[in-house]
Amino acid sequence: GRKDIALVIDGSMSMTLGSGGQTTFDAAVREAEKIVTDAGGGTSFSLILGAPVPQAVIAQPLVNRAEVRAALSSLRPVNGRMAAFDALSLATMSLAQGTNPQKEIIVLTDAQDAGWELDRPARWESLKQGFENLKTPPRLIVRQFPLPASVRNLAVADLRFSRQVIGTDRRSEEH
């Protein structure tokens, strides 16, 4: 059926990583272009660039696919993290302006923890209420792109010193 789709593309610095000469950001834009191409007739699109201050590249849903593709091809990643809550709020506001009965938000991201603020449940509850205030609550789809194997997150689980105190005049490997 006819839909209003808000595309949210993560433009954070981590999306500039990649392999084989292609960044994750490039892959996300290509997938968004495919979504636009494959969508049914009458589907309209808005476009949000996820950034520290998200940008509504197309704030009101458009049916003209050539304009949507042109906007997608002009996107560039930014420095910093994606403020996910703010980006999804912009997407919700854009969907409120659409006239189609079905609503979707599609997030294309590498899902890095920074910027999602999952430790602030009250914010996410308010976003849920925003979804419910639409005539039709949107379906939320998150497409997570994997990070290149060479840069996946590592963590230090345990650190032990060989002695209680290591003087500044000694190398740490001396016993």
Side-chain angles (χ1 to χ4, degrees), residues 123-168:
R123 291 190 87 190
W124 294 100
E125 186 60 35
S126 71
L127 184 64
K128 179 182 172 194
Q129 289 172 358
F131 284 2
E132 292 168 355
N133 287 337
L134 295 172
K135 289 179 186 176
T136 305
R139 187 172 137 202
L140 177 62
I141 300 166
V142 177
R143 164 66 163 98
Q144 182 178 347
F145 292 86
L147 283 173
S150 62
V151 293
R152 295 221 170 104
N153 290 338
L154 299 176
V156 175
D158 188 25
L159 183 63
R160 294 184 204 163
F161 293 102
S162 61
R163 60 175 144 245
Q164 294 295 330
V165 177
I166 300 171
T168 58

Side-chain angles (χ1 to χ4, degrees), residues 75-93:
L75 291 181
R76 300 292 174 264
V78 297
N79 289 325
R81 59 182 177 81
M82 175 175 76
F85 173 84
D86 297 333
L88 290 169
S89 296
L90 272 177
T92 305
M93 287 188 287

Side-chain angles (χ1 to χ4, degrees), residues 30-99:
R30 264 198 326 283
E31 187 157 324
E33 289 169 345
K34 183 171 177 14
I35 291 167
V36 170
T37 299
D38 294 347
T43 299
S44 62
F45 296 91
S46 54
L47 179 59
I48 310 299
L49 178 63
V53 178
Q55 302 166 24
V57 179
I58 299 175
Q60 188 168 351
L62 292 177
V63 175
N64 185 324
R65 293 173 195 227
E67 287 184 51
V68 176
R69 282 189 203 95
L72 282 166
S73 68
S74 71
L75 291 181
R76 300 292 174 264
V78 297
N79 289 325
R81 59 182 177 81
M82 175 175 76
F85 173 84
D86 297 333
L88 290 169
S89 296
L90 272 177
T92 305
M93 287 188 287
S94 76
L95 291 178
Q97 298 177 53
T99 58

